[in-house]
Amino acid sequence: MERIREKIIRALSGRKLSYWKLLKEVSSPLVEVVQTLKDLLEKGEVIWDEEEKVLYLKEEGEEVPSFQCPACLGKGRVIKGEFEKAFLKYMEIAQNRPPSIPEYDQGFILPEDLVHKAILMHEKCDLENRKILILGDDDLFSIYVGLVGKCEKITVVEIDERLVNFINEVSSTEKLEIEVFPYDLSNPLPQQLKNSFDVFVSEPPESLEGFICFLTRGKEGLKERGSGYIGLTTLESTYEKWGEIQKWCLNNGFVITDILKNFSRYWERVQDWEKFYSHFRMLKELPFNPGPVDEDWYTSDLLRIERITPRKLQSQDLYMDEETWATPLSFSHGD
Amino acid sequence: MERIREKIIRALSGRKLSYWKLLKEVSSPLVEVVQTLKDLLEKGEVIWDEEEKVLYLKEEGEEVPSFQCPACLGKGRVIKGEFEKAFLKYMEIAQNRPPSIPEYDQGFILPEDLVHKAILMHEKCDLENRKILILGDDDLFSIYVGLVGKCEKITVVEIDERLVNFINEVSSTEKLEIEVFPYDLSNPLPQQLKNSFDVFVSEPPESLEGFICFLTRGKEGLKERGSGYIGLTTLESTYEKWGEIQKWCLNNGFVITDILKNFSRYWERVQDWEKFYSHFRMLKELPFNPGPVDEDWYTSDLLRIERITPRKLQSQDLYMDEETWATPLSFSHGD
């Protein structure tokens, strides 16, 4: 809990923040943020201004500078070329998307962040000429990668009929040839989709059960050496839950190759979540009403996993094994 | 192997590259790169120009654009403020460092990348007022974080007496109060260092045995909820080895919180590795002499791990568990 306390104090140092902006800054389990915030409010170290709907420190302090690159906003990559062209077209199309509904825990990732996901997949050789399986597609990622036009095949499985229809229509109008199956991910993957994809992409529900269920479907869909791109938050999942998820991955023949913090932001304005907020446990537990949402506060980390073939490695000593081809062999053996 | 073949073809598409620049681009297991390259050369798809010491494609193709942010070179962060000030001072001091020696598998990380590591630690609340344990310090990271001046305590364990003396001297001249123990990491950590640090930092050897040995020392040094920053390459470690390392982490009470690709570059010019290159297994296996090193080709990924307290999570259904505080409960239960 200590780290969260410090993150809150640091975020508020020298400035006032809305609850939503604070959440974005600390990006830690809501369970722990709310508890720590309650404690800090009780002790009088943090103060809630009901009028302005902001939090601030009793002892003001100095603002802690951000080191985020202003050019790429911390992504390390820039959007350009065919990825930018497809992005502009996508923005036009996505205007007519069906609104998000809470029954299926839907939420839309910011289009810029979908583009970054596709660029990352491109860099990892997971896009061009690849067969992609998208498990749940309220983000309309299928349409974006369809517009980029590099994949060999794009397949979507989706429970929400409105989305199935929308993706089908766009696919037909834009000649994207996306294959869409209406399907409930709590059932095993249809036989014809098993072991046939190079890559799966998913933003699973955050409950441990739901997460593992979606991962299992991804595993069922993949070919040998296939990879998966999965969104996971530190908001609704403690690192204890992360540990369980990672164990599942390793016990099921995957390795984790990349973990990119706060990769995907969820789009408040468009998904119109606010009307569901009163149903969030977070708001019931919070000792104040945080007021209107003024930040895309819900972000998820991106995990990339890859199937491996476990095998025994031969170690020679502390410095050498059969893969250490850029370590000076003869020296460590003293010749 | 398929992905590596594509990475090589893509890297060479529309341009000629030295072997070293190609390695930097593909950043894949040397074992597999060399084998794939041999195959491509045999088939005549890739050609080695002995005169110019470059590789190129038979079918030239078009250059594949890079999406790296030109402002931060892909780091997502910028160096500034006190981190920049300390960097300038460090550069001055490090000029007099003892040269790297192969007996201990030494290699120096580029100073810019040490700065980025410290900034990342700062962002994660792993620097300010923290007790840091550095396991092996040929990079002189202790001196850099000492100059930044935020840590509560900096302790180094190091086998190489020249480094022990150098760090001690600088620490005394610059009043950094770094604690340095001459110590061979193949032995258990001295009793007085056990369970007393918030963070450990290490660039372990790449053999599985050596890697796990260094991780074990890190674990021994940490307090509850402590974290570790570890460099691991995809050059000398296949993802199969990564899988073994990750399993060790999860089975030893850690979770992996971040994996940042190509975070640390090793500094060719300064470490003067070239004289050891003839002792690398890579050069014995390569079907040509690649000539002078013209790139900082050896890079490592940065893994952050954190100690957790494993516990059973209560799931309610596919969407809800006790941590999903921003998922609309009442809807998924139909009220």
Side-chain angles (χ1 to χ4, degrees):
Chain A
M1 205 68 83
E2 194 55 23
R3 240 185 234 105
I4 292 176
R5 191 182 173 280
E6 289 187 29
K7 281 187 183 169
I8 292 174
I9 303 279
R10 183 192 287 181
L12 294 174
S13 191
R15 56 183 184 168
K16 296 177 174 190
L17 290 182
S18 72
Y19 174 69
W20 310 108
K21 287 194 197 296
L22 178 70
L23 279 188
K24 173 78 173 276
E25 286 281 313
V26 298
S27 196
S28 299
L30 298 172
V31 176
E32 297 174 8
V33 172
V34 171
Q35 192 181 320
T36 310
L37 204 49
K38 271 181 181 172
D39 184 57
L40 287 166
L41 287 163
E42 263 167 39
K43 287 188 181 136
E45 291 183 54
V46 168
I47 295 157
W48 168 247
D49 180 333
E50 177 60 32
E51 190 102 4
E52 284 191 61
K53 297 279 184 197
V54 288
L55 292 152
Y56 60 95
L57 293 186
K58 190 187 160 202
E59 303 199 15
E60 210 179 87
E62 264 183 66
E63 201 171 323
V64 180
S66 158
F67 294 89
Q68 191 181 76
C69 171
C72 64
L73 300 179
K75 291 282 183 190
R77 296 180 181 82
V78 288
I79 296 175
K80 63 183 190 183
E82 51 207 316
F83 288 89
E84 188 173 24
K85 210 176 133 198
F87 167 66
L88 298 174
K89 183 76 190 167
Y90 172 91
M91 288 300 283
E92 211 179 279
I93 291 169
Q95 280 179 3
N96 303 312
R97 71 201 306 168
S100 75
I101 47 175
E103 283 82 347
Y104 305 128
D105 189 28
Q106 295 175 340
F108 307 146
I109 291 179
L110 246 74
E112 293 90 313
D113 297 346
L114 292 182
V115 178
H116 278 291
K117 182 151 71 175
I119 290 176
L120 183 71
M121 289 168 64
H122 165 72
E123 285 181 357
K124 300 273 178 189
C125 289
D126 283 335
L127 195 69
E128 208 160 343
N129 305 321
R130 296 302 187 223
K131 293 183 184 164
I132 315 275
L133 173 65
I134 300 171
L135 304 167
D137 196 21
D138 33 342
D139 297 318
L140 307 178
F141 187 59
S142 61
I143 294 178
Y144 178 70
V145 286
L147 291 166
V148 173
K150 286 179 182 289
C151 301
E152 184 183 323
K153 185 175 161 182
I154 302 162
T155 303
V156 175
V157 293
E158 172 57 57
I159 194 170
D160 182 352
E161 271 183 43
R162 302 169 314 146
L163 285 168
V164 170
N165 295 337
F166 184 76
I167 296 168
N168 267 329
E169 273 167 41
V170 173
S171 173
S172 153
T173 321
E174 302 291 333
K175 300 192 178 41
L176 305 178
E177 294 182 36
I178 302 165
E179 189 180 54
V180 196
F181 293 89
Y183 157 72
D184 178 350
L185 278 152
S186 56
N187 301 316
L189 213 60
Q191 198 55 45
Q192 79 264 36
L193 299 182
K194 282 191 177 165
N195 310 117
S196 40
F197 294 92
D198 300 295
V199 183
F200 79 88
V201 179
S202 188
E203 301 286 328
E206 287 277 323
S207 84
L208 181 57
E209 193 183 318
F211 207 94
I212 299 292
C213 171
F214 276 52
L215 278 177
T216 305
R217 301 300 159 249
K219 181 189 171 189
E220 289 169 358
L222 284 190
K223 292 194 288 194
E224 212 181 301
R225 214 68 222 192
S227 63
Y229 290 78
I230 320 147
L232 174 60
T233 78
T234 44
L235 291 167
E236 296 200 277
S237 297
T238 56
Y239 279 143
E240 279 72 19
K241 198 197 288 178
W242 276 55
E244 292 303 306
I245 289 168
Q246 294 186 347
K247 265 186 198 157
W248 185 94
C249 291
L250 289 158
N251 291 337
N252 281 274
F254 288 101
V255 65
I256 307 151
T257 68
D258 301 78
I259 304 180
L260 298 166
K261 185 80 190 147
N262 291 342
F263 193 89
S264 302
R265 292 162 293 172
Y266 281 74
W267 207 2
E268 284 296 329
R269 188 174 50 77
V270 165
Q271 65 204 0
D272 198 15
W273 267 359
E274 225 171 313
K275 60 178 183 281
F276 316 123
Y277 276 12
S278 58
H279 299 273
F280 283 6
R281 178 146 174 212
M282 173 175 73
L283 287 216
K284 296 186 205 297
E285 303 277 348
L286 208 59
F288 52 78
N289 176 345
V293 181
D294 58 354
E295 180 74 52
D296 294 324
W297 63 277
Y298 196 94
T299 59
S300 73
D301 298 1
L302 187 65
L303 278 66
R304 180 180 179 279
I305 60 177
E306 188 174 314
R307 283 187 100 165
I308 51 174
T309 320
R311 63 188 180 84
K312 266 265 164 272
L313 263 160
Q314 304 296 329
S315 265
Q316 285 154 18
D317 62 29
L318 206 62
Y319 296 116
M320 305 294 295
D321 66 24
E322 62 196 87
E323 298 176 356
T324 52
W325 280 27
T327 301
L329 176 65
S330 48
F331 283 93
S332 74
H333 286 246
D335 75 37
Chain B
M1 205 67 86
E2 193 56 24
R3 240 186 233 102
I4 292 176
R5 190 182 174 280
E6 289 187 29
K7 281 187 183 168
I8 293 174
I9 302 279
R10 183 192 288 182
L12 295 175
S13 192
R15 57 185 183 167
K16 296 177 175 192
L17 290 182
S18 73
Y19 175 69
W20 309 108
K21 286 194 197 296
L22 179 70
L23 280 188
K24 173 78 174 276
E25 286 281 314
V26 300
S27 195
S28 300
L30 298 171
V31 176
E32 297 174 8
V33 172
V34 172
Q35 192 181 320
T36 311
L37 204 49
K38 271 181 181 170
D39 185 56
L40 287 166
L41 287 162
E42 264 168 38
K43 289 189 181 138
E45 292 181 54
V46 167
I47 295 157
W48 169 248
D49 181 333
E50 178 61 34
E51 188 101 3
E52 285 190 61
K53 298 279 185 196
V54 288
L55 293 151
Y56 61 95
L57 293 187
K58 190 188 160 202
E59 303 198 15
E60 209 178 271
E62 264 181 65
E63 201 171 322
V64 181
S66 158
F67 293 89
Q68 192 181 75
C69 171
C72 64
L73 299 179
K75 291 282 183 192
R77 296 180 181 79
V78 288
I79 297 175
K80 63 182 190 183
E82 53 208 315
F83 288 90
E84 188 172 25
K85 211 175 133 197
F87 167 66
L88 298 172
K89 183 77 189 166
Y90 171 91
M91 289 300 284
E92 211 179 278
I93 292 169
Q95 280 179 2
N96 303 313
R97 71 201 304 168
S100 75
I101 47 175
E103 283 82 347
Y104 304 129
D105 189 28
Q106 294 174 340
F108 307 146
I109 291 179
L110 246 74
E112 293 90 315
D113 297 346
L114 292 181
V115 178
H116 278 290
K117 182 151 70 175
I119 289 176
L120 183 71
M121 288 168 65
H122 165 70
E123 285 182 354
K124 300 272 179 190
C125 288
D126 282 335
L127 196 69
E128 207 159 343
N129 305 320
R130 296 302 186 224
K131 294 183 182 163
I132 314 275
L133 173 65
I134 300 171
L135 303 168
D137 196 22
D138 34 342
D139 297 317
L140 307 177
F141 187 59
S142 62
I143 293 178
Y144 178 70
V145 286
L147 291 166
V148 172
K150 288 179 182 288
C151 300
E152 183 182 324
K153 187 175 162 184
I154 303 162
T155 303
V156 174
V157 293
E158 172 57 57
I159 195 169
D160 181 353
E161 271 183 41
R162 303 169 313 146
L163 285 169
V164 169
N165 295 336
F166 184 75
I167 296 169
N168 267 330
E169 273 168 39
V170 172
S171 172
S172 153
T173 321
E174 303 290 335
K175 302 192 178 35
L176 304 179
E177 294 181 38
I178 301 165
E179 190 180 54
V180 196
F181 294 88
Y183 156 73
D184 179 347
L185 276 152
S186 56
N187 301 316
L189 213 61
Q191 197 56 43
Q192 80 263 37
L193 299 183
K194 281 192 178 165
N195 310 115
S196 40
F197 294 91
D198 300 294
V199 183
F200 78 87
V201 179
S202 187
E203 302 286 327
E206 286 277 324
S207 86
L208 183 58
E209 193 182 318
F211 207 95
I212 300 292
C213 171
F214 276 52
L215 277 178
T216 305
R217 300 299 160 252
K219 181 189 170 189
E220 288 169 0
L222 285 192
K223 293 195 287 195
E224 212 182 302
R225 213 70 221 192
S227 63
Y229 291 77
I230 321 147
L232 174 60
T233 78
T234 44
L235 291 167
E236 295 200 278
S237 296
T238 56
Y239 279 143
E240 279 72 19
K241 198 198 286 176
W242 275 55
E244 292 302 306
I245 289 168
Q246 294 186 348
K247 265 185 199 158
W248 184 93
C249 291
L250 288 158
N251 292 336
N252 281 273
F254 289 101
V255 65
I256 307 150
T257 68
D258 301 78
I259 304 179
L260 298 166
K261 186 77 192 150
N262 292 342
F263 193 90
S264 302
R265 291 162 294 173
Y266 281 74
W267 207 2
E268 285 296 328
R269 188 175 50 78
V270 165
Q271 66 204 359
D272 198 16
W273 266 359
E274 225 172 314
K275 61 178 182 281
F276 315 124
Y277 275 14
S278 59
H279 298 273
F280 283 5
R281 176 142 176 218
M282 175 176 70
L283 287 216
K284 296 186 206 294
E285 302 277 349
L286 209 57
F288 52 79
N289 176 344
V293 181
D294 57 354
E295 180 74 52
D296 294 324
W297 63 277
Y298 197 93
T299 59
S300 73
D301 298 0
L302 187 65
L303 277 65
R304 180 180 180 278
I305 59 178
E306 187 174 314
R307 282 186 101 164
I308 50 173
T309 320
R311 63 186 179 86
K312 266 268 166 268
L313 262 161
Q314 303 297 328
S315 266
Q316 285 154 16
D317 61 29
L318 206 62
Y319 297 115
M320 304 294 296
D321 67 23
E322 62 196 88
E323 298 176 357
T324 51
W325 280 26
T327 300
L329 174 65
S330 49
F331 284 93
S332 77
H333 285 248
D335 75 38

